[in-house]
Amino acid sequence: MRAWSSPDVPPLPVTGPVVRVHDTASDTLVETRPEGPARLYVCGITPYDATHMGHAATYVGFDLLHRAWRNAGHDVTYVQNVTDVDDPLLERATKVGVDWAELALRETQLFRDDMEALRVLPPAHYTGAVESIPQVVELIQRLDEAGAVYRVDDDLYFSVTADDTFGEVSGFDRDQMLQVFPERGGDPDREGKKDPLDERQRRGGTWSAPRSRSTTSGRPSTSRAAAATSSSRTTRCRPGTPRSRTPANGSPAPTPTPGWSPTTARRCRSPRATSCSCPRCG
């Protein structure tokens, strides 16, 4: 999948300082001194509606890190995904009566346009979930062969007891994990699970990719199960009323009001977040 066009980035006359980022595991600021390119993975959008303020906050924020690393003299390998098949996308496509793949293509292009308007540097690798399915299948099969997943009806679940470091990054205790897990898409009460925190890896006879959390320290990203218990401040929530510039039903786009822009079209209604980059809003 192609990303968007890069803006011109003029060279600066000085080299920037060492970049420091907040490390969730230690709850401290740490200096980043990558060996080789600095590596950045940022979870991308689920393209079922127009860009909103949460997107702008997320991607402009990581763009600042990208630029700071470059100014500090580092090459940057930036990867971003597009969840171009997921429940919110399929639900929206059914609701408005369009093909889900067509909806995904259209909303992804709107996102590209907005990133260009914001002058956000594009990722080196912009990867869709659909094109990643063969790799995801292989990885989940390896987990299955290692005994790290088990079946409940037609679904596969990752067993958190297979990972001795599960929850280490967040610092949450089990009670805190159980509290946030259902808020972020988990199903702790499903019958047949070995542990309420076990995470579904395959649904309805089809393989689905585990979502990953963003990482700014060059360390490998964790699985969706770990992401559900991370100390991120965002929550899984329903977005507010959408204001698509090109409504999926084909009706005329709403007339922009003064000061309106694609990136201010919608604000998440989560009580815990003023700018949301959660999996459902993202």
Side-chain angles (χ1 to χ4, degrees):
M1 180 176 291
R2 67 176 181 85
W4 53 92
S5 300
S6 178
D8 292 331
V9 182
L12 298 179
V14 296
T15 299
V18 174
V19 177
R20 298 193 303 164
V21 298
H22 179 264
D23 177 63
T24 304
S26 63
D27 195 25
T28 61
L29 286 176
V30 297
E31 292 185 344
T32 57
R33 298 182 182 274
E35 298 179 2
R39 295 180 296 166
L40 176 64
Y41 173 78
V42 181
C43 187
I45 62 167
T46 299
Y48 68 96
D49 209 336
T51 314
H52 55 68
M53 282 296 292
H55 295 130
T58 297
Y59 301 111
V60 170
F62 282 110
D63 189 58
L64 292 174
L65 173 60
H66 189 175
R67 291 171 183 264
W69 262 334
R70 288 177 55 159
N71 192 38
H74 299 293
D75 292 328
V76 180
T77 300
Y78 175 17
V79 180
Q80 187 180 131
N81 72 295
V82 182
T83 311
D84 53 357
V85 57
D86 199 3
D87 288 346
L89 173 62
L90 301 177
E91 291 165 3
R92 178 69 188 276
T94 299
K95 180 179 179 180
V96 299
V98 300
D99 181 77
W100 65 268
E102 176 186 343
L103 178 63
L105 288 172
R106 183 170 65 223
E107 299 303 330
T108 300
Q109 183 56 49
L110 290 179
F111 177 74
R112 292 189 187 100
D113 293 343
D114 288 342
M115 293 300 100
E116 288 185 2
L118 291 168
R119 297 182 58 81
V120 170
L121 298 177
H125 304 283
Y126 196 48
T127 306
V130 170
E131 65 186 284
S132 303
I133 286 176
Q135 183 181 9
V136 172
V137 170
E138 178 185 353
L139 292 173
I140 296 179
Q141 286 175 337
R142 288 167 58 184
L143 288 173
D144 194 12
E145 293 166 359
V149 297
Y150 62 93
R151 287 167 174 76
V152 177
D153 300 325
D154 289 333
D155 296 337
L156 282 180
Y157 279 82
F158 172 75
S159 177
V160 296
T161 59
D163 183 0
D164 293 336
T165 64
F166 178 76
E168 190 176 87
V169 172
S170 70
F172 284 5
D173 59 30
R174 184 173 177 83
D175 288 340
Q176 289 172 303
M177 293 181 188
L178 288 171
Q179 180 181 347
V180 302
F181 188 43
E183 296 175 358
R184 303 182 185 182
D187 54 354
D189 299 324
R190 180 169 181 183
E191 293 185 4
K193 292 179 62 175
K194 295 180 179 179
D195 188 296
L197 293 172
D198 289 346
E199 176 70 14
R200 186 170 56 189
Q201 303 294 289
R202 189 183 78 169
R203 180 179 182 184
T206 59
W207 296 89
S208 60
R211 289 193 182 92
S212 300
R213 69 176 179 87
S214 302
T215 176
T216 59
S217 61
R219 296 177 300 179
S221 59
T222 59
S223 69
R224 184 182 175 191
T229 58
S230 73
S231 60
S232 169
R233 297 296 181 187
T234 57
T235 59
R236 189 175 179 91
C237 53
R238 293 282 183 177
T241 304
R243 290 182 62 182
S244 298
R245 287 162 292 159
T246 308
N249 60 10
S251 61
T255 302
T257 54
W260 181 90
S261 71
T263 55
T264 59
R266 189 175 48 166
R267 185 180 291 272
C268 171
R269 295 189 296 184
S270 164
R272 298 191 180 184
T274 56
S275 60
C276 182
S277 58
C278 71
R280 184 167 294 278
C281 286

